[in-house]
Amino acid sequence: MKFQKLVTSALLVAGTASVLAVAPVSVNAATSKTAPVVAVQNKANFTKEGYIMRILNDRDASPIYVGKANYNKLVKNVTPAKGAKTISPKKVQKVKFRIEKVLNVKGRGAGAPVYLVASKDKKYSTWTTQAFLQYYYLNSKSMQGVTKPLKRISNRLNTSLKKANNKRDFNAAMKAAKKLRGSQRDFVLRSLNQLKKDGSMNVEGKNLLLFGL
């Protein structure tokens, strides 16, 4: 018996950057345990946070596609035509992006989730990984009290919040977050409460505040 026909994708890697291409395939039950299975999902909990992400200026980051037509192709899990207009991440450092969709690979060749991100006017878009995304205000002056203790935790081998030093740093981040204002305060506190629930920073792809940390 065959599984339902899926739209799947092959990740083409250049350095550590990922580019998305797709081809419809039928996955046979006998091979499903070894063959890579790719699922593109809508993540309402990410999307509802709005345009709060930045694409990091990194030479290994995927190019940014320009134009709504290219965005529409990316939404359908298709890379734009060869020669489609792109710009480097350096050109969009002041542009805020939202996560539109998430691509997960399971089975052989599985790796980190890949995210479709787009600007509010859909002028700029790309598929990229968590390593090249960051909360837009993460390095702002107002966030330093939150960011510094979180970075100390993330740099340790054991990031469990049960460990005394991690718990101390987490509490420091929470205290600083409560001093923030407006929607920024709401987002950061919501993210920290989720981190507390998870109990560790080893939660790849689940908490936007930790992206690019």
Side-chain angles (χ1 to χ4, degrees), residues 20-161:
L20 187 67
V22 300
V25 301
S26 294
V27 181
N28 189 285
T31 61
S32 62
K33 292 183 179 180
T34 57
V37 177
V38 181
V40 178
Q41 303 171 321
N42 295 315
K43 288 287 187 179
N45 58 320
F46 284 170
T47 305
K48 73 178 182 181
E49 295 294 357
Y51 299 89
I52 62 169
M53 306 303 291
R54 171 187 282 120
I55 296 176
L56 295 178
N57 181 22
D58 190 295
R59 65 181 182 180
D60 291 328
S62 300
I64 312 300
Y65 288 96
V66 179
K68 193 169 184 179
N70 285 329
Y71 165 77
N72 289 335
K73 291 179 180 179
L74 292 176
V75 166
K76 296 176 182 178
N77 314 319
V78 179
T79 54
K82 185 177 181 180
K85 185 178 180 180
T86 63
I87 57 175
S88 74
K90 182 179 180 180
K91 301 290 186 179
V92 294
Q93 290 305 293
K94 293 184 178 181
V95 177
K96 295 177 182 177
F97 289 82
R98 181 179 76 174
I99 290 180
E100 304 272 314
K101 292 179 180 293
V102 182
L103 180 151
N104 286 293
V105 183
K106 296 182 180 181
R108 187 181 63 205
V114 185
Y115 304 90
L116 173 62
V117 296
S119 59
K120 192 171 185 178
D121 57 5
K122 304 300 186 284
K123 182 178 180 180
Y124 304 113
S125 57
T126 191
W127 283 94
T128 189
T129 60
Q130 176 178 338
F132 301 110
L133 292 173
Q134 187 180 78
Y135 173 50
Y136 191 86
Y137 299 104
L138 190 68
N139 293 321
S140 65
K141 185 177 180 180
S142 63
M143 279 289 294
Q144 292 306 298
V146 177
T147 305
K148 287 181 178 179
L150 290 182
K151 284 185 175 180
R152 287 197 293 269
I153 298 173
S154 67
N155 288 331
R156 294 174 183 136
L157 291 177
N158 188 335
T159 64
S160 171
L161 299 186

